[in-house]
Amino acid sequence: MKNNSNPEKPIKKDRNLHENPVPKITIISSAPDLASQNIKAHLLSLEEWEILELPENSGFSAAWESRDGKFRLIEIEEMHIFQDGLDRRLENIGLPASLIIFASKHRSKEEISSLTVHCTGNPSDEARLGGCPKSLAVSSPAAMKSILMEMKRLAEQKNLKYDVTLEVTHHGPTELSVPSLYAEIGSTEVQWKDPDAGEVAAKAILAVSLEKVPNALGFGGGHYAIRQTGLLLETGISFGHNFPKYQLEFVDEALIRQAIEKSKADFAYFDRKSMKSEDRHRISEILDKLGLKVLKESEIREQYGYESLQ
């Protein structure tokens, strides 16, 4: 039975962090981020956790490990988008990560109620929001698929009027050798503090699966990758890095090579109607040179639709 007592008082764990450190799925909570704090509170109430004693000057403000040994939850005082090298810092204090999940707020001008996931990277020469220019983080398509699908299921179960969507690759951190993703609540303070949204996000994170699935690189569409989201939710595939139509001018061979490697992509997908013909032809030639096939939506649904996988 889960311990639903005061989440602020987990049992202390008295051990040396450097004794047989095992990589764990590591959830990062940011103190100044209201949605992150909302998700953290629900994580702590949904699982049994033990407090980890951090070394002095670790750079982290608090740490917990789930009693089942599957997760660590780490609190930072800064915003997460500027956490390049976080995996090395965790490893240096004896808390290596196998996957990093950033619990975060999502902000948009449209102020849409949303639950989102995405991987990080900067396709262009700009890196105003963390990370390095023309650099992509290692993605986890399997984790993004499982979290987004569970967000969708739980939101519908609660009759929560939130859009559940995959976002394209954007912002930092980029310099992580461990796979990572963002799980977010958007997009105003009302939603960031919404306990129902916090519970859905937390439960979806705790249900994460790393079971390998066929995955694609996505090209085209808007910031909310609507067609890619539909394919992720309605077939057996997932996506790694996604490049929207407004970033395609920056997508060159070097970036695509990086995306293939850091997504372990099996094929590519084009949101064709949203792409300029010159971008489509140029990127097609690069993918052909690199030996990555482009599948149409109909082909994906035929090969990887749930009926065909049974």
Side-chain angles (χ1 to χ4, degrees), residues 144-157:
M144 289 204 297
K145 179 179 181 69
S146 78
I147 290 174
L148 197 72
M149 290 187 72
E150 188 67 359
M151 282 176 165
K152 180 77 169 174
R153 186 186 74 81
L154 292 168
E156 289 177 351
Q157 188 180 81

Side-chain angles (χ1 to χ4, degrees), residues 196-211:
D196 286 331
E199 181 184 7
V200 166
K203 284 183 173 179
I205 289 169
L206 292 173
V208 66
S209 169
L210 301 181
E211 184 177 347

Side-chain angles (χ1 to χ4, degrees), residues 12-135:
K12 279 196 175 183
K13 191 170 192 176
D14 184 20
R15 69 172 173 82
N16 187 326
L17 294 182
H18 292 278
E19 290 178 1
N20 303 315
V22 177
K24 309 275 186 183
I25 297 171
T26 301
I27 307 158
I28 303 298
S29 170
S30 173
D33 182 323
L34 292 176
S36 193
Q37 291 302 297
N38 182 6
I39 296 168
K40 181 192 85 170
H42 284 89
L43 289 168
L44 288 172
S45 69
L46 288 164
E47 274 290 342
E48 293 182 342
W49 300 85
E50 297 174 315
I51 293 173
L52 300 177
E53 296 287 352
L54 291 167
E56 282 190 46
N57 303 316
S58 68
F60 304 106
S61 53
W64 299 263
E65 186 169 303
S66 61
R67 277 293 187 86
D68 63 9
K70 185 176 180 181
F71 297 96
R72 293 191 185 109
L73 173 59
I74 308 290
E75 178 98 311
I76 60 175
E77 294 300 318
E78 309 85 14
M79 291 302 290
H80 19 60
I81 60 175
F82 300 109
Q83 295 300 307
D84 286 316
L86 175 68
D87 52 337
R88 294 190 299 275
R89 289 168 49 210
L90 289 167
E91 190 168 357
N92 288 341
I93 63 165
L95 298 176
S98 57
L99 170 70
I100 295 174
I101 301 173
F102 294 98
S104 172
K105 68 183 179 184
H106 168 70
R107 188 192 299 272
S108 76
K109 294 176 183 176
E110 294 80 13
E111 301 187 355
I112 296 167
S113 299
S114 60
L115 294 159
T116 73
V117 300
H118 70 88
C119 48
T120 60
N122 294 310
S124 75
D125 293 325
E126 287 192 348
R128 293 180 297 106
L129 297 175
C132 293
K134 303 290 282 188
S135 183

Side-chain angles (χ1 to χ4, degrees), residues 14 36 152 167 180 190-191 199 226 237 282 290 293:
D14 184 20
S36 193
K152 180 77 169 174
E167 288 184 273
S180 64
V190 173
Q191 290 83 26
E199 181 184 7
I226 294 172
I237 75 157
R282 177 177 56 82
L290 299 178
K293 188 176 182 181

Side-chain angles (χ1 to χ4, degrees), residues 23 69 100 186 192 204 271 307:
I100 295 174
W192 301 337
D271 184 347
E307 289 183 3

